[in-house]
Amino acid sequence: MATFKRDLTKNVGVEDLIMLTEVSESSLHENLKIRYKEGLIYTSIGPVLVSMNPYKQLGIYGNDQINLYKGKHEFEIPPHIYSIADKAYRALRSEGENQCIIISGESGAGKTEASKYIMQYIASITGSSTEVERVKKTILESNPLLEAFGNAKTLRNNNSSRFGKYMEIQFNLGGDPEGGKITNYLLEKSRVINQTQGERNFHIFYQLLKGSSEEEKKTYNLLSPDQYHYLTRNASNGCFTADGIDDQIGFKQTKNAMKVVGIDEPLQKEIFATLSAILLLGNLSFNKSASGNGSVISDKKLANTIASLMGVDAIVLESSLVSRQISTGQGARISTYSVPQTVEQAMYARDAFAKATYSKLFDFIVRKINQSIEVKTIGKVIGVLDIYGFEIFENNSFEQFCINYVNETLQQIFIDLTLKTEQEEYVQEGITWIPVQYINNKACVDLIEKKPIGILSLLDEECLFPEGNDQTMIDKLNKHFSNHTHYSKVERQKNSQFIINHYAGKVFYNIDGFLDKNRDTLFNDLVTLATSSSCSLLVEIFKYVPPLEVDPEQEKKNRDKFSKNGFANNAAKTFIPTDKKRPITAGFQFKNQVTSLLKSLYSCSPHYVRCIKPNSNMRALEWDQSKCAEQVAYLGLFENLLVRRAGYCYRQTFSKFMRRYYMIGKSTWPKWSGDAEKGVNLLMGELTQEINIKEEVQYGKTKIFIRNPQPLFLLEDKRNKRLNDLATKIGSVWKMYKQRKWYLRTLAAIKIQRTYRGWLLVRECVKLKNQSISIFQNNKERNRQSIKLSKAAFIGDFLSLTRDNYTTATLKREEGPNAVLQLSLNVSKVSRHHKIQKRSLLVTNETIFTITPHKPKKDGSWFAIKRKVPFSAIEKISFSKLSDDFFVIHIINEHDLCLETNKKTVLITLLSNLYSKHLNGKELVFEFKDSIQYRNQKGPSELKFVKVDSIHEKSSNSPQANSPSFTAKAEKNYLKVCVLPGLSSESKSILIEK
Ligand SMILES: Nc1ncnc2c1ncn2[C@@H]1O[C@H](COP(=O)(O)OP(=O)(O)O)[C@@H](O)[C@H]1O
Ligand SMILES: [Mg+2]
């Protein structure tokens, strides 16, 4: 009795490759292919999602689909990107752990689209308060903006991201997005000055040129695209359009997105002027100077235009390009002289300046986005990694080296977390297991990043030598790594290549330009020029120094080791880098970013999306067998399948398994208090008719392992049916419950491994609800919204803190070893100045705590206790008679607590129970009054309630920003609360589904 109907008409092949009847590479390919041809682009391998680019709109996204996937377990529904998003979100809420979704695949495989669908899904299933909406809007709008500046048409993808991106969304304790952070990686800045034939520069340039009004064209001195060297350099007639991309509309979207992320119009103007200047820089040419080897700008008028767009002096602009200041000596003896630059050198400086300006501008835009979604506190996050996949080109340079390096490290995480850990668990549990061989690429990662002798370290070292060049570099590599399994030298006459044997295949790297790109120097003259600009944007972007994201302790250790073990080359010892002097090379910076990324990823529960690009022609539903086979191979899908196949789709400790399924066994119902393992054996023994125990089940030392999902469906169905039967028996309340299939559906949807309080919870809810009616009925008007009371609301731990270690430890410290969290929720508190402040409330068996979260510290602490009120100190709780949500907890011998929450019914009901229990049956006193007098820190104060017919203005001091049914206004000695008429105090709330 599965509760979700699959679209059986479209059940082609198998949805999960672990269900293939024949396990071979060819059947894997065949299954992907037949599904792809039917437009079924998603297939799973256990928890890993394979996604194939359909190159056409399939109508499988949007609100209807989102509703189908919301809260569903992946076993119940066909694989989908929404399913992964939902799983990550559910895990974040229920386990309270950071999650990350790692999307990989080659360029054009659909990574960025996938990441957008994930964002869309999360935005759609979360709350809608004003601030949450703002954050969501900014996160969604950041996309077109980043794409305008960071994407370009390439031969592989018309909208190819030319940077890597890790986007973290941070959630508040209620599970709504409260902010986020984008980290960008390695923008392909060489594209600014040159593109392969048939490719374009970054979209923004064409947007600016095509989308600007006549007036803007004049202001920014814009030309037509074919007049720019930087847009036509490598093509007889440049490529100015891209299929499916409208630059004029794009420009409007970009401007709009800029507004949303807080880039105002004056700043936009500076950005556009800078972009125009970058393009014009490319048109600058140089002549040999009349005297000597130097050079001069040929077109002074053009130089003037550029200088005025950049807000710099034209003469200084020229001198910074055609000469270079060199300093010698030290301290007081330092002397500086100017070295004229040749025409080639001047052109090099020009291009370097254009590239640097653009990439710094891009970083600036990312910073602006981050500022607008920055959160000061640290909460749980879902990170989505959309990063360039493996690149193997004809000519692979430093960029490919870096890209493949990050992929190599990502593959290592994948191996660690999916293949290695899983197999280790089988061994630990003593499960019969034939190990699956997989390629462990740790050695390759070491080859690249190990200190002090890895390619990146050697490269940095070589960059420190004045006489170091690409050739000395390759000699060094050959010398150190000739015996390394992942390295080969190229025996050719022109010795300019080396080979790395990556997990995805052999890649020939061309050393030309490695040192230069790694040094990434921009001559000081140009930096000085930019920072002297009257344009504040240029000053800001050139002055900005990125923080080094290394752990200082670790870095110190590395340094110590570095100086102890010495350099690979002794002569370099004099260049031992110290903290500040160490030149920050591109490789060093990238490695830093990768290290910090890995740190983030390892602190998350990972989810994987492996994207496949089915053909190179961007053609809908076309399947290129050899291309696909190549990708399947290097994404490691087959090994992944082998481990999953040989492995078990479900594992759970005996005790947790019993807690979930005890009610379906004749011998374990109604209560099993014996040994959990024995219980599991008994229970499963009753199912031998339906489940082939021998084939499907193994018992480990502490866990049960089930091989396929089908027996799990059976267990779940039996459980649902059993709960349903029990419900029928329990009487009339349950009739309603029985009609409400949603509850069964929710139950089935909860991740199977998780313990769940099942039907007991429902019974508890009904009891509590009746109790809440007895407290409020005839005393207080009902809030129109609160009539929709959901059963789930009675669980009480709204902030999911039961399993939060720090919360548990803090409560135990404050209250003793028996402290148990009973309730957690967010409230508003009225301050002594009658302002609304955010607090969270924790309630144990004997105490109420108010807390405020802060940035987590090293010791794991993430909140501070503001107030501690033992139940015994509570005198009474007062409410108004109207439909507002304020209440005051009056405290003996102390100032009172004036609070507000739309969950007051649950809070008060549970609190009154806990109170009576703790104080031996004493009843908590409630008062309902027209106005409430109380004491705050300053002295006597008051809550005055006024019934009004309509609420005109939105009060900033109102706790419920969204369609409030009451507002609050701070007066000198009291808080005035205006309340709309509610429902009669005699009305009852009903239980409805949520
Ligand atoms: N799920 C999808 N449905 C329809 N078209 C898609 C989908 N995924 C990708 N595409 C198409 O493929 C193009 C390239 O996808 P993109 O996500 O930019 O690739 P990547 O980021 O991996 O380089 C998109 O512009 C879009 O036209
Ligand atoms: Mg992309």
Side-chain angles (χ1 to χ4, degrees):
M1 191 184 60
T3 44
F4 180 86
K5 282 215 164 47
R6 285 153 194 261
D7 181 0
L8 292 174
T9 52
K10 274 236 155 170
N11 208 353
V12 180
V14 293
E15 286 171 352
D16 192 323
L17 293 172
I18 61 176
M19 297 197 199
L20 281 175
T21 36
E22 182 206 320
V23 185
S24 66
E25 280 180 73
S26 64
S27 69
L28 184 153
H29 290 150
E30 190 54 27
N31 192 70
L32 290 179
K33 180 176 159 186
I34 55 173
R35 286 177 66 76
Y36 181 68
K37 293 259 174 183
E38 285 297 322
L40 298 168
I41 59 166
Y42 296 115
T43 305
S44 4
I45 307 178
V48 173
L49 181 75
V50 181
S51 160
M52 299 173 276
N53 189 347
Y55 285 115
K56 72 169 192 179
Q57 288 312 316
L58 295 171
I60 54 168
Y61 308 105
N63 284 338
D64 289 351
Q65 291 280 331
I66 288 176
N67 285 331
L68 275 183
Y69 279 84
K70 206 151 69 181
K72 295 274 169 39
H73 193 278
E74 75 249 45
F75 290 145
E76 291 180 278
I77 29 178
H80 196 289
I81 189 77
Y82 289 159
S83 188
I84 286 265
D86 194 78
K87 201 169 136 197
Y89 181 70
R90 260 183 300 134
L92 174 113
R93 299 291 321 269
S94 58
E95 320 249 285
E97 272 172 17
N98 291 332
Q99 308 288 316
C100 63
I101 304 178
I102 301 176
I103 311 175
S104 45
E106 66 181 57
S107 178
K111 299 181 294 293
T112 304
E113 293 295 311
S115 77
K116 286 193 263 187
Y117 290 126
I118 293 169
M119 295 298 166
Q120 177 204 44
Y121 185 83
I122 290 173
S124 156
I125 61 162
T126 48
S128 59
S129 76
T130 322
E131 179 55 16
V132 169
E133 280 300 328
R134 188 194 70 80
V135 168
K136 291 202 280 200
K137 188 164 181 214
T138 315
I139 289 174
L140 294 179
E141 279 299 319
S142 69
N143 243 323
L145 185 57
L146 287 176
E147 291 196 357
F149 283 83
N151 285 26
K153 172 190 164 150
T154 67
L155 295 175
R156 276 159 266 127
N157 179 353
N158 285 346
N159 184 27
S160 178
S161 336
R162 309 315 299 160
F163 64 106
K165 180 174 79 173
Y166 186 52
M167 163 122 219
E168 290 166 294
I169 305 180
Q170 182 171 323
F171 295 83
N172 62 21
L173 294 173
D176 292 327
E178 61 177 350
K181 187 179 157 204
I182 294 170
T183 313
N184 55 311
Y185 300 92
L186 206 72
L187 179 78
E188 185 198 36
K189 60 184 172 185
S190 58
R191 182 167 297 272
V192 174
I193 60 157
N194 199 3
Q195 311 88 39
T196 308
Q197 192 155 6
E199 300 200 345
R200 296 207 310 179
N201 208 320
F202 294 99
H203 295 328
I204 186 65
F205 290 117
Y206 307 92
Q207 291 185 356
L208 178 68
L209 298 178
K210 293 186 203 170
S212 288
S213 64
E214 284 311 312
E215 199 191 327
E216 283 171 319
K217 283 188 175 138
K218 238 194 243 145
T219 316
Y220 306 128
N221 297 91
L222 302 179
L223 311 173
S224 68
D226 58 345
Q227 292 173 294
Y228 289 106
H229 184 53
Y230 279 168
L231 304 183
T232 53
R233 197 169 187 169
N234 208 9
S236 40
N237 44 4
C239 169
F240 306 126
T241 56
D243 282 348
I245 289 175
D246 184 323
D247 295 311
Q248 278 177 329
I249 295 178
F251 195 47
K252 285 203 187 101
Q253 283 170 343
T254 301
K255 281 181 166 172
N256 184 47
M258 284 178 155
K259 215 162 75 197
V260 173
V261 307
I263 298 179
D264 58 13
E265 240 170 70
L267 185 52
Q268 288 180 21
K269 287 192 170 139
E270 289 195 344
I271 292 175
F272 299 141
T274 305
L275 289 170
S276 168
I278 290 173
L279 283 179
L280 289 175
L281 266 176
N283 288 1
L284 267 188
S285 54
F286 302 87
N287 288 334
K288 232 174 142 176
S289 60
S291 58
N293 298 332
S295 50
V296 288
I297 287 180
S298 331
D299 183 348
K300 303 283 183 211
K301 203 168 145 232
L302 177 60
N304 281 335
T305 310
I306 297 171
S308 98
L309 282 166
M310 295 190 117
V312 298
D313 188 297
I315 298 177
V316 186
L317 171 68
E318 173 160 23
S319 70
S320 314
L321 290 168
V322 301
S323 63
R324 219 183 123 188
Q325 305 293 316
I326 302 233
S327 308
T328 53
Q330 272 184 335
R333 294 227 206 111
I334 201 160
S335 59
T336 306
Y337 54 96
S338 170
V339 183
Q341 302 285 289
T342 62
V343 170
E344 283 72 37
Q345 285 171 327
M347 300 234 281
Y348 177 86
R350 171 198 76 179
D351 290 348
F353 190 41
K355 286 190 287 188
T357 309
Y358 190 81
S359 80
K360 283 172 194 291
L361 178 60
F362 185 72
D363 291 343
F364 170 78
I365 284 169
V366 175
R367 287 204 298 282
K368 278 310 259 191
I369 297 172
N370 282 340
Q371 273 165 20
S372 70
I373 49 175
E374 184 184 359
V375 248
K376 292 280 186 315
T377 53
I378 291 187
K380 295 294 172 219
V381 300
I382 296 183
V384 179
L385 182 68
D386 166 15
I387 206 159
Y388 16 61
F390 221 86
E391 288 188 351
I392 308 179
F393 299 151
E394 296 248 305
N395 187 19
N396 302 292
S397 182
F398 183 67
E399 289 83 358
Q400 280 69 47
F401 173 76
C402 289
I403 288 171
N404 294 343
Y405 158 53
V406 71
N407 275 277
E408 200 73 60
T409 57
L410 290 175
Q411 179 68 5
Q412 204 188 356
I413 301 194
F414 182 71
I415 288 174
D416 252 12
L417 300 180
T418 58
L419 309 181
K420 195 160 151 249
T421 330
E422 180 158 346
Q423 302 206 64
E424 280 168 1
E425 185 177 13
Y426 296 140
V427 175
Q428 243 171 40
E429 284 283 330
I431 296 290
T432 321
W433 175 252
I434 304 163
V436 171
Q437 294 304 319
Y438 56 86
I439 306 166
N440 192 345
N441 65 337
K442 183 169 184 313
C444 187
V445 174
D446 283 351
L447 166 72
I448 298 171
E449 65 166 28
K450 201 164 178 190
K451 285 180 180 173
I453 301 185
I455 298 179
L456 281 170
S457 292
L458 293 179
L459 186 59
D460 277 359
E461 192 182 306
E462 207 58 20
C463 284
L464 289 169
F465 287 119
E467 66 276 22
N469 60 43
D470 292 334
Q471 204 48 55
T472 56
M473 178 68 206
I474 206 156
D475 291 344
K476 200 172 204 169
L477 292 180
N478 288 340
K479 182 177 134 219
H480 280 284
F481 303 122
S482 53
N483 292 326
H484 199 288
T485 42
H486 289 269
Y487 182 92
S488 317
K489 87 195 220 190
V490 179
E491 308 285 356
R492 292 227 188 103
Q493 283 189 323
K494 191 169 177 281
N495 174 15
S496 65
Q497 289 188 320
F498 64 97
I499 299 172
I500 297 183
N501 200 354
H502 287 288
Y503 78 92
K506 274 190 177 167
V507 181
F508 285 74
Y509 292 100
N510 190 336
I511 196 82
D512 291 343
F514 259 62
L515 259 66
D516 208 27
K517 286 173 180 168
N518 189 46
R519 282 196 190 105
D520 196 28
T521 34
L522 186 64
F523 300 131
N524 271 336
D525 311 56
L526 288 165
V527 178
T528 314
L529 171 77
T531 48
S532 72
S533 162
S534 63
C535 161
S536 55
L537 171 73
L538 275 182
V539 178
E540 147 106 38
I541 64 177
F542 273 88
K543 277 206 166 149
Y544 180 78
V545 186
L548 275 186
E549 298 182 46
V550 278
D551 178 358
E553 299 243 319
Q554 189 56 41
E555 191 48 14
K556 185 177 173 305
K557 266 190 221 149
N558 289 344
R559 249 194 344 267
D560 291 348
K561 222 163 82 190
F562 206 41
S563 46
K564 207 163 84 201
N565 296 352
F567 276 87
N569 183 328
N570 262 343
K573 271 199 177 134
T574 41
F575 295 98
I576 284 184
T578 58
D579 261 355
K580 290 189 183 97
K581 284 188 195 143
R582 179 177 204 147
I584 308 222
T585 58
F588 177 79
Q589 215 164 20
F590 189 63
K591 175 165 183 279
N592 245 307
Q593 281 198 312
V594 172
T595 310
S596 139
L597 172 68
L598 291 197
K599 213 170 110 197
S600 305
L601 296 179
Y602 268 114
S603 73
C604 296
S605 308
H607 306 264
Y608 285 94
V609 182
R610 312 292 256 174
C611 295
I612 290 180
K613 179 176 161 176
N615 65 70
S616 308
N617 311 319
M618 302 188 221
R619 233 179 261 141
L621 306 181
E622 184 181 297
W623 184 265
D624 177 335
Q625 183 63 34
S626 71
K627 269 228 68 172
C628 291
E630 201 175 88
Q631 295 169 74
V632 166
Y634 78 61
L635 289 171
L637 297 188
F638 190 61
E639 286 90 341
N640 192 204
L641 171 63
L642 287 182
V643 174
R644 292 303 310 181
R645 261 297 286 208
Y648 296 80
C649 83
Y650 172 83
R651 74 212 57 191
Q652 187 53 276
T653 57
F654 295 127
S655 55
K656 284 190 180 164
F657 185 87
M658 277 309 279
R659 252 181 278 167
R660 184 159 182 89
Y661 296 115
Y662 72 98
M663 76 284 289
I664 61 178
K666 287 195 190 77
S667 41
T668 52
W669 167 260
K671 196 165 172 236
W672 179 259
S673 46
D675 175 51
E677 182 174 1
K678 202 166 154 214
V680 174
N681 270 296
L682 276 173
L683 179 69
M684 294 307 285
E686 291 176 23
L687 300 173
T688 45
Q689 293 288 322
E690 290 135 306
I691 299 176
N692 183 344
I693 304 283
K694 225 171 138 196
E695 287 273 301
E696 295 286 356
V697 181
Q698 275 214 49
Y699 301 104
K701 291 190 184 126
T702 62
K703 287 180 179 172
I704 173 171
F705 292 77
I706 299 181
R707 195 179 291 280
N708 292 307
Q710 290 91 338
L712 279 180
F713 285 136
L714 187 89
L715 285 170
E716 278 296 295
D717 280 354
K718 280 191 172 298
R719 183 172 182 275
N720 285 341
K721 189 159 178 305
R722 181 76 181 140
L723 288 176
N724 207 359
D725 292 348
L726 288 171
T728 321
K729 281 184 198 145
I730 293 175
S732 62
V733 206
W734 294 94
K735 281 197 182 124
M736 184 172 65
Y737 158 80
K738 204 186 150 200
Q739 286 156 6
R740 302 203 184 277
K741 285 272 169 48
W742 68 272
Y743 191 63
L744 293 180
R745 217 167 47 220
T746 316
L747 279 179
I750 303 283
K751 197 171 178 185
I752 296 177
Q753 287 99 318
R754 231 149 273 150
T755 54
Y756 201 68
R757 290 194 269 165
W759 67 274
L760 280 173
L761 177 71
V762 181
R763 198 178 59 181
E764 195 67 4
C765 291
V766 174
K767 208 172 90 198
L768 286 172
K769 224 205 56 54
N770 287 335
Q771 208 181 334
S772 80
I773 290 171
S774 77
I775 298 176
F776 291 107
Q777 204 175 5
N778 301 329
N779 288 320
K780 190 168 172 62
E781 288 187 12
R782 298 204 54 78
N783 186 320
R784 283 174 191 277
Q785 281 156 7
S786 77
I787 208 149
K788 297 176 185 168
L789 200 56
S790 103
K791 286 175 196 160
F794 277 103
I795 298 170
D797 182 19
F798 288 97
L799 309 182
S800 308
L801 295 177
T802 327
R803 279 194 261 167
D804 178 71
N805 291 341
Y806 179 67
T807 308
T808 313
T810 307
L811 295 180
K812 288 198 192 305
R813 192 186 63 223
E814 290 291 330
E815 204 188 274
N818 296 329
V820 176
L821 180 71
Q822 295 288 353
L823 241 166
S824 69
L825 74 166
N826 288 333
V827 297
S828 303
K829 171 184 171 280
V830 179
S831 76
R832 74 185 90 170
H833 305 295
H834 303 109
K835 291 274 180 255
I836 300 290
Q837 297 173 333
K838 285 186 183 165
R839 288 281 186 280
S840 301
L841 220 60
L842 306 181
V843 181
T844 64
N845 291 327
E846 47 182 282
T847 316
I848 302 175
F849 296 90
T850 60
I851 60 164
T852 50
H854 57 67
K855 240 182 181 158
K857 297 188 183 145
K858 273 222 169 106
D859 60 1
S861 65
W862 61 268
F863 63 76
I865 294 180
K866 288 286 177 188
R867 251 333 273 265
K868 180 177 172 184
V869 183
F871 290 176
S872 55
I874 300 176
E875 186 196 337
K876 61 181 178 186
I877 300 185
S878 319
F879 303 87
S880 81
K881 294 177 178 170
L882 305 180
S883 68
D884 63 282
D885 288 332
F886 283 91
F887 61 97
V888 175
I889 304 181
H890 299 267
I891 300 163
I892 302 165
N893 294 332
E894 268 187 64
H895 62 272
D896 303 326
L897 251 180
C898 181
L899 302 173
E900 182 277 339
T901 167
N902 58 5
K903 300 194 172 65
K904 69 169 185 318
T905 313
V906 184
L907 168 67
I908 298 302
T909 312
L910 291 176
L911 184 63
S912 90
N913 279 349
L914 293 167
Y915 180 92
S916 302
K917 209 163 155 191
H918 179 59
L919 299 176
N920 304 321
K922 189 176 166 193
E923 296 221 14
L924 185 53
V925 180
F926 300 109
E927 272 188 354
F928 298 85
K929 297 183 131 187
D930 293 321
S931 72
I932 304 175
Q933 258 116 38
Y934 71 100
R935 288 153 304 173
N936 64 21
Q937 293 99 309
K938 286 203 326 196
S941 181
E942 198 176 355
L943 279 178
K944 286 191 181 169
F945 298 93
V946 189
K947 201 164 181 171
V948 292
D949 284 325
S950 61
I951 288 173
H952 297 293
E953 59 199 290
K954 261 199 181 168
S955 158
S956 60
N957 197 24
S958 170
Q960 294 191 332
N962 226 12
S963 66
S965 53
F966 56 92
T967 55
K969 190 158 176 264
E971 301 288 354
K972 190 151 181 273
N973 292 319
Y974 64 95
L975 184 76
K976 181 176 165 191
V977 183
C978 294
V979 194
L980 287 174
L983 299 172
S984 146
S985 61
E986 284 147 40
S987 69
K988 284 185 186 175
S989 63
I990 45 163
L991 276 165
I992 64 129
E993 61 179 271
K994 198 170 182 186

